[in-house]
Each structure stands twice: as C-alpha cells, then as structure tokens.
Amino acid sequence: MNHELQQDEAILDAIDRFLRVEVRPHVKRLEHADEYPSAIVERMKEMGLFGCIIPVEYGGLGLSAATYAAVVARIASVWMSLSGIINSHLIMAAAVLRSGTEEQKRAFLPRFATGELRGGIGLTEPDAGTDLQAIRTRAVRDGEHYVVNGSKTWITNSGQGNCIALLVKTDPAAEPRHRGMSLFIAEKGPGFVVSRKLEKLGYRGIDTCELRFDDYRVPASRLVGGVEGSGLQQVLAGLELGRINVAARGLGVATAALHDAVAYAQQRKTFGKPICEHQAIQLKLGEMATRVEAARLLVQSAARAYDGGERCDMEAGMAKYFATEAAMDNALECMRIHGAYGYSPEFDVERYYRDAPLLLIGEGTNEMQRIIIARQLVQRHPV
Ligand SMILES: Cc1cc2nc3c(=O)[nH]c(=O)nc-3n(C[C@H](O)[C@H](O)[C@H](O)COP(=O)(O)OP(=O)(O)OC[C@H]3O[C@@H](n4cnc5c(N)ncnc54)[C@H](O)[C@@H]3O)c2cc1C
C-alpha cells in the first residue's frame, strides 16, 4: 500500500472510531432537542476536519475529493447534520482556493483549516434560490470598503459560525446579470445581523439562519479574486465539490437505512419466520442494496473526475441526483420494513426520513441536476 493510501486508511479509521465513541451515543438527544453539538465540533476541529480539502501548504489535510467523499459518507451514515457543518464551510474554502488571490489564500485558508474562521455560503435570498442571478443584496464601493445591504435566508452555519462567502450584486444593471455579481469573504461584524434561526423538518442540531445586512462594511481586500463580476462563476465552481459531497451525504443516509433494514428484518418475526424470509421484504432489500452500490460508484466516479481536474458538472450532477434519491427511497423502504416502529422516535429511521428530503433540494435541486445532465449530454455529443 502506498503512503497516501495508508494515510487515507488511517484517517477513515480515526473517523469511524470518533463516530462510534463520541458521536453515535449523543445523536438522538442532540437531534431531538435541536441542540448544536458544540463539544463534537471542537473534536472535529482537533481532528482537522475543517481543513479536509485544504492543501497541506495552507494548513489543511489535503485530502483528495474521493477520500473527502468517503469521510462525508461515513459521517452522514451516523448523523447527516454533522457533515453539513464541514460541507458548506469547505465550499467557502474551495471558492477561495480556486478563485482567491494568493494573498487571500494565505490569509484565510489556514484559519479555515483550523476552524478558527468557520461558516458556509451565503447565496439564497427570500426571492432567489435556483435563480441566483435574481439576488438583490447589494455591495457599493466606498473607499477601501464595500457597503452591503440586503438579506439572505437558509444560510447554514451562519448562527454558530463567524464567516460566510457572501454573493452580492456589485452592478445590478449589468447584462448578462451574472457580470454584476461578486463574492466576498464576509466575517461577522457591525451590520452583519443574524435575524433568526430557522425551524426545520430534519437536519436539526445544525444552525440554518436568516441574515440581514445593514450598512455592513467589508474591506475591498475581501473581494474574492480581487475583481468584481466573477462571483457567480466562483460560486458555481465551488458547487461541483458541493454536489459531490451532497451525493456522499446521500450515500451515507442510504447506507444507514439499508444497514438498519437488514438488521431489523432478521430480528422481526411474522407468521413464524423472520420477515427477511418473506419475498416482499427481500425485494425491498435487494433494491435498497443495489441503490447503495450504484450510488457509491457514481460518487467515486465524480470525485475521481474532480481530482483529475476534469470538468465534472455532469458527473457530479448524476451522483448528486441518484445518491440523494437513493437516500430518500431507502429511508422510506426502511420505514416500511420497520412497520409501526419506523414511525417512532426510538428508532433512527424516522430521522433518515426527515433528513433525506433536504438532499433533494440543497446544492441545486434534483430537477436542476437532470437539466444540467441533459445540457451537458447535448454539448458533449453535438451532431
Ligand atoms: C436546510 C436547508 C439548508 C440550506 N442551506 C443553504 C446555505 O447554506 N446557503 C445557501 O445559500 N442556501 C441554502 N439553502 C437554500 C437552497 O440552496 C435553496 O433552497 C435551493 O437552491 C432551492 O431554491 P428555492 O428554495 O428558492 O427554490 P426555487 O428556486 O423557488 O425552486 C422551487 C421549485 O422550482 C423548481 N425550479 C426552479 N427553477 C427551475 C427551472 N429553471 N427548471 C425546472 N425547475 C425549476 C425547483 O427545482 C423547485 O422544485 C438551504 C436550504 C435548506 C432547506
């Protein structure tokens, strides 16, 4: 085994131990109370997880996207919310890594890697989600600063975190609209207001908030890449990795549902035999296991393409679409296999069923993924 593989194995073993000993025993209580897992997050900082994909020269672990996806899938198989704490943080880091100036990389990536600066991505607004070019939050240059006014919603990690990659309009009249969009590294300060924490069906324990910007002043040196007008492309480039890690979350949830279903189907007896011996249950298990395996292969293939520096929006889109639908389908089938117990908060399956739908929406809805796949198909196969 080469050195890199050995290192990856050691990291995955450490994650498994951490999840078994320090996370699993607390998930039910924290999730049901919608309580932020502060102690667990401190351990995640110590383990270097906030720097998973940040290169070693900037203080991170320098993991490949493939290893990072394996880390995310394992975390999500125990508690999906925890993976969200590092995922959107690392999309912010990926935007700086790919599009930031060298000065910005040196100033921010080491602080992102330790978790000293921690947060996510501030894109969505009350009137703009999928259609990001319709955002209205505005930044106006004023000397060595920009003054930001507007609001964002559904911003994960923005309550407990202290920094977000903030997408704004610097030229609202620009045509095409994306030429007027810019991205800032926005640390909390006067005028950066967390207006409220949002209630959610699942993905609980993690903070998703509404934000308001009232004459918030951000230094011009925090404009990613140092130029106005590239914000949307910078965000979209980061979303390729984001989609791979949402796919990995889907894989984690689908795997957990399969695991619980296989175990329960052997314990529960009806008509004198374990339900795993009834053909109707076997058909479900067969489908669930096939979905997990197919999702795993799609996630790996997208992550490898990303690691190889290839354009991979189609591969990431396929992995995101399939693996997250697999999570939803497996959660429902796992619930059916558990009968009434699947409807009880005593069993983890009700959480999978509440967590999985987010994956169909976040990092580009699954409707949009299929459209992206189709567009790429046509582009790659012109007649
Ligand atoms: C728990 C949670 C956490 C989140 N965290 C973050 C975060 O950290 N940062 C952030 O910026 N955002 C975050 N979001 C927001 C998320 O990214 C958006 O919800 C998502 O992009 C969809 O936008 P929307 O909700 O405005 O739906 P809309 O854009 O209003 O879409 C509504 C429906 O129309 C469909 N649709 C829209 N346009 C088209 C089209 N052209 N063709 C076909 N169908 C279309 C969509 O697929 C969807 O089914 C989070 C959301 C949730 C629920």
Side-chain angles (χ1 to χ4, degrees):
M1 208 190 282
N2 72 29
H3 181 62
E4 225 167 75
L5 269 180
Q6 267 177 350
Q7 230 176 9
D8 287 357
E9 289 289 324
I11 287 168
L12 292 174
D13 284 349
I15 301 270
D16 282 341
R17 211 170 30 251
F18 162 67
L19 291 170
R20 194 175 55 247
V21 177
E22 299 179 64
V23 178
R24 195 180 280 285
H26 308 290
V27 173
K28 213 167 269 163
R29 182 183 62 76
L30 290 168
E31 207 272 342
H32 288 162
D34 195 13
E35 184 180 322
Y36 190 74
S38 304
I40 294 176
V41 170
E42 287 309 308
R43 281 288 294 132
M44 288 164 76
K45 283 186 192 167
E46 286 166 20
M47 293 172 77
L49 293 179
F50 286 91
C52 274
I53 52 111
I54 296 175
V56 176
E57 58 175 306
Y58 296 113
L61 294 180
L63 300 185
S64 64
T67 306
Y68 173 49
V71 168
V72 170
R74 282 171 198 229
I75 295 177
S77 74
V78 175
W79 190 15
M80 196 185 89
S81 297
L82 273 195
S83 59
I85 291 174
I86 53 169
N87 285 168
S88 51
H89 170 80
L90 287 173
I91 299 175
M92 167 172 72
V96 174
L97 185 60
R98 284 196 155 194
S99 310
T101 62
E102 191 52 39
E103 207 180 336
Q104 288 169 341
K105 291 182 201 180
R106 301 222 165 272
F108 291 102
L109 292 176
R111 297 172 73 201
F112 290 158
T114 57
E116 175 206 332
L117 272 188
R118 214 167 59 58
I121 44 166
L123 316 179
T124 305
E125 296 187 1
D127 295 320
T130 307
D131 182 11
L132 277 179
Q133 298 187 59
I135 61 166
R136 290 199 293 218
T137 296
R138 177 90 203 267
V140 178
R141 181 99 193 209
D142 178 24
E144 286 311 298
H145 286 80
Y146 282 81
V147 181
V148 182
N149 281 287
S151 58
K152 295 280 170 186
T153 191
W154 293 107
I155 309 305
T156 301
N157 297 326
S158 63
Q160 299 284 336
N162 47 13
C163 184
I164 59 168
L166 179 65
L167 187 67
V168 298
K169 282 269 170 90
T170 35
D171 179 4
E175 279 301 335
R177 295 179 294 170
H178 67 82
R179 294 236 174 94
M181 298 173 79
S182 303
L183 190 68
F184 284 91
I185 308 159
E187 280 185 69
K188 279 185 176 168
F192 183 137
V193 182
V194 179
S195 3
R196 72 180 169 119
K197 181 183 159 195
L198 298 169
E199 293 290 323
K200 288 171 292 188
L201 170 70
Y203 201 44
R204 288 157 63 83
I206 179 173
D207 49 321
T208 302
C209 304
E210 263 178 17
L211 305 177
R212 211 179 60 239
F213 296 91
D214 292 336
D215 289 333
Y216 164 67
R217 293 179 76 81
V218 58
S221 60
R222 310 269 167 113
L223 172 63
V224 174
V227 282
E228 291 183 13
S230 302
L232 188 68
Q233 290 93 319
Q234 292 167 344
V235 160
L236 294 181
L239 285 184
E240 263 181 7
L241 182 67
R243 283 175 190 154
I244 293 170
N245 71 46
V246 171
R249 280 196 234 177
L251 172 61
V253 174
T255 306
L258 171 67
H259 177 271
D260 291 9
V262 169
Y264 187 79
Q266 294 173 76
Q267 289 154 7
R268 180 73 173 173
K269 288 193 175 124
T270 66
F271 302 97
K273 56 183 177 186
I275 59 172
C276 65
E277 291 178 19
H278 296 306
Q279 201 176 54
I281 301 294
Q282 289 169 340
L283 294 178
K284 289 185 193 303
L285 294 178
E287 279 172 16
M288 290 169 77
T290 307
R291 277 188 212 114
V292 165
E293 188 57 13
R296 193 176 63 75
L297 293 171
L298 281 171
V299 170
Q300 273 180 358
S301 138
R304 278 205 206 104
Y306 184 90
D307 286 333
E310 297 164 31
R311 176 174 180 170
C312 63
D313 44 358
M314 183 164 96
E315 292 72 11
M318 284 178 172
K320 195 269 175 183
Y321 165 54
F322 187 87
T324 58
E325 296 286 344
M328 194 67 246
D329 293 344
N330 277 13
L332 178 58
E333 290 298 57
C334 180
M335 188 176 267
R336 289 179 189 229
I337 289 170
H338 278 73
Y341 292 105
Y343 209 60
S344 157
E346 296 295 313
F347 285 76
D348 289 333
V349 54
E350 63 86 33
R351 174 164 48 83
Y352 310 149
Y353 186 74
R354 289 185 290 105
D355 279 349
L358 166 64
L359 302 173
L360 314 179
I361 302 167
E363 312 301 342
T365 64
N366 280 3
E367 287 76 18
M368 294 313 294
Q369 300 312 314
R370 279 171 282 177
I371 291 169
I372 291 167
I373 294 164
R375 282 190 189 141
Q376 275 296 301
L377 274 178
V378 172
Q379 224 179 70
R380 293 186 196 186
H381 302 283
V383 286

